[in-house]
């Protein structure tokens, strides 16, 4: 009887141990997945397995953006000196911009300065907003000082036709158009202040007795190394152009030079043959005209004319592009017609300008 009681007691103790060592698991789960945390499983008995398990737990614990931000800030706290303070400030701004809270409170959003760029780990301080704003102010000041007029868009790669050529090239026709247009409308000739057709229209305006001005972007290592102070413009005086770094500031200046604020201002946009940069500027002007953004503030004056000079059929593809957009329904039929006129000769362009301004 005593032996039977001992056997029963051992059996009950074994069942209790089994229930404490194993926990309920899903169907078809491996035994290692069901092993209780208090008892080491076969998959985590070796040092290598324990290391892998610890690494995976650490990855799960630091996978969220909030956790990564806290870890970065805690690592930055270990630094000393001014660099550490700047780094912690940049991380506060970075977390605040994304709605996170660092050190228990929300930090005010403020862009990092250029001096903090070294300390901004993973943030990337940007100087472009302040530089673009400064360049736009200088471009607007130049427009107010020199006066508005005709804005010329064209290629910088065109060259004068060789002597004895049977027909005038695009350079000569652009020079002739600028001379006749400024003799008719007056105003200042505005361009990108570069070579090619931009130089042709500037010289044509000067030949008509009108000033030429522009916004120059330095290209090439030599020009960039010289900078704005060391650069010598080949055909404009220093007070008639501004050197800018960003294309956005230059396009703001060109658009402002062609917007009418008074009835006495006779402005126009003329797109000469060119490449991708010319098309970029042309379509921006057309889009602004479509959105009624070329009207002077509080002005009821008509939008300035925009001419597309289709010399030798170079812009036939642009006309086809507009027709295809209408065919596929991306433009309403005739929607683009009020915003630019296609001219195939200088005589046609001069007649359109004279008719628009009643001259």
């Amino acid at each position: 009887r005593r032996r039977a009681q001992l056997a029963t007691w051992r059996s009950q103790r074994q069942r209790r141990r089994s229930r404490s060592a194993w926990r309920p698991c899903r169907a078809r789960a491996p035994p290692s997945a069901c092993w209780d945390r208090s008892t080491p499983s076969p998959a985590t008995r070796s040092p290598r397995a324990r290391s892998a398990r610890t690494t995976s737990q650490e990855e799960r614990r630091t996978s969220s953006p909030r956790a990564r931000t806290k870890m970065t800030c805690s690592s930055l706290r270990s630094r000393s000196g001014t660099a550490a303070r700047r780094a912690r400030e940049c991380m506060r701004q970075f977390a605040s911009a994304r709605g996170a809270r660092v050190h228990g409170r929300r930090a005010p959003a403020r862009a990092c300065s250029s001096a903090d760029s070294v300390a901004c780990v993973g943030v990337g301080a940007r100087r472009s907003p302040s530089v673009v704003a400064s360049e736009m102010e200088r471009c607007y000041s130049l427009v107010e000082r020199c006066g508005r007029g005709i804005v010329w868009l064209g290629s910088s790669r065109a060259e004068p036709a060789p002597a004895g050529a049977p027909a005038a090239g695009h350079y000569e026709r652009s020079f002739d158009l600028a001379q006749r247009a400024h003799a008719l409308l007056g105003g200042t000739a505005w361009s990108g202040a570069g070579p090619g057709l931009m130089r042709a229209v500037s010289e044509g305006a000067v030949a008509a007795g009108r000033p030429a001005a522009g916004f120059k972007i330095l290209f090439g290592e030599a020009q960039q190394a010289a900078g704005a102070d060391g650069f010598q413009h080949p055909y404009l005086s220093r007070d008639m152009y501004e050197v800018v770094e960003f294309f956005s500031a230059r396009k703001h200046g060109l658009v402002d030079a062609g917007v009418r604020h008074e009835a006495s201002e006779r402005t126009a946009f003329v797109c000469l043959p060119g490449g991708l940069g010319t098309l970029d500027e042309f379509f921006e002007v057309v889009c602004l005209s479509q959105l009624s953004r070329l009207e002077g503030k509080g002005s009821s004056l008509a939008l300035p004319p925009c001419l597309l000079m289709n010399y030798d059929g170079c812009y036939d593809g642009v006309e086809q592009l507009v027709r295809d957009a209408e065919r596929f329904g991306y433009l309403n039929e005739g929607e683009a017609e009020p915003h630019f006129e296609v001219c195939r000769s200088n005589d046609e362009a001069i007649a359109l300008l004279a008719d628009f301004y009643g001259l």
Side-chain angles (χ1 to χ4, degrees):
R1 184 178 178 182
R2 179 62 177 170
R3 284 195 297 270
Q5 290 177 347
L6 291 174
T8 303
W9 178 74
R10 291 193 187 98
S11 176
Q12 292 174 352
R13 185 176 61 179
Q14 185 65 28
R15 285 197 296 270
R16 285 196 300 270
R17 287 181 177 178
S18 300
R19 286 197 297 269
S20 63
W22 293 83
R23 55 186 172 84
C25 62
R26 298 176 182 177
R28 300 182 181 179
S32 60
C34 304
W35 197 265
D36 187 73
R37 294 179 182 271
S38 61
T39 306
S41 65
T44 59
R45 284 174 183 171
S46 64
R48 179 177 298 178
R50 287 197 299 272
S51 176
R53 182 180 179 183
T54 304
T55 304
S56 62
Q57 291 176 351
E58 184 67 21
E59 290 177 353
R60 289 195 299 270
R61 191 163 53 250
T62 61
S63 60
S64 65
R66 182 183 180 88
R68 286 197 299 269
T69 304
K70 289 184 176 180
M71 288 184 62
T72 306
C73 292
S74 62
S75 63
L76 292 174
R77 279 197 297 271
S78 63
R79 302 182 186 179
S80 61
T82 307
R85 289 193 297 272
R86 288 177 177 173
R88 289 196 294 269
E89 179 65 22
C90 291
M91 289 308 302
R92 290 191 188 97
Q93 297 160 10
F94 175 65
S96 176
R98 284 156 177 77
R101 291 181 180 270
V102 182
H103 304 310
R105 61 181 179 180
R106 187 183 298 275
R110 181 180 62 84
C112 300
S113 62
S114 58
D116 300 332
S117 60
V118 177
C120 291
V121 181
V123 179
R126 304 186 66 178
R127 53 182 287 271
S128 57
S130 58
V131 176
V132 170
S134 174
E135 291 181 351
M136 287 172 57
E137 289 292 337
R138 290 192 284 113
C139 292
Y140 292 156
S141 298
L142 182 65
V143 172
E144 294 297 330
R145 187 171 69 249
C146 299
R148 293 174 173 82
I150 304 177
V151 179
W152 302 90
L153 314 174
S155 172
S156 63
R157 303 182 183 182
E159 298 289 342
H170 294 174
Y171 190 98
E172 289 74 22
R173 279 187 269 184
S174 299
F175 177 92
D176 176 70
L177 177 61
Q179 185 177 10
R180 296 172 60 184
H182 283 283
L184 177 68
L185 302 182
T188 304
W190 290 95
S191 69
L197 299 185
M198 291 179 279
R199 179 166 188 165
V201 297
S202 298
E203 292 176 346
V206 172
R210 303 305 305 174
F215 310 101
K216 175 65 177 174
I217 291 183
L218 301 182
F219 291 100
E221 296 181 359
Q223 292 185 2
Q224 293 178 356
D229 297 330
F231 173 73
Q232 297 293 330
H233 203 281
Y235 59 88
L236 291 178
S237 59
R238 186 62 188 91
D239 60 335
M240 298 301 292
Y241 71 94
E242 282 289 347
V243 177
V244 295
E245 180 181 355
F246 291 91
F247 284 88
S248 56
R250 169 171 152 173
K251 290 197 286 187
H252 272 84
L254 290 174
V255 170
D256 185 60
V259 174
R260 301 178 65 198
H261 291 269
E262 299 177 2
S264 59
E265 293 176 334
R266 298 171 181 172
T267 65
F269 294 92
V270 181
C271 181
L272 301 166
L276 297 178
T278 303
L279 289 174
D280 171 46
E281 295 168 344
F282 167 72
F283 278 115
E284 178 161 355
V285 171
V286 172
C287 184
L288 291 174
S289 176
Q290 181 190 25
L291 299 175
S292 300
R293 295 301 181 92
L294 292 182
E295 299 174 351
K297 190 173 182 179
S299 174
S300 59
L301 299 173
L303 295 176
C306 180
L307 309 182
L308 183 68
M309 302 307 300
N310 192 12
Y311 292 150
D312 301 324
C314 64
Y315 283 138
D316 286 346
V318 175
E319 296 185 80
Q320 184 62 42
L321 173 67
V322 174
R323 288 194 292 268
D324 289 341
E326 293 177 351
R327 180 165 59 91
F328 286 105
Y330 303 131
L331 281 175
N332 295 328
E333 186 175 355
E335 183 178 356
E337 291 181 2
H339 306 295
F340 70 95
E341 295 283 348
V342 180
C343 303
R344 301 185 180 276
S345 66
N346 291 351
D347 293 337
E348 185 178 355
I350 296 297
L352 284 173
L353 292 176
D355 180 68
F356 183 86
Y357 286 106
L359 302 175

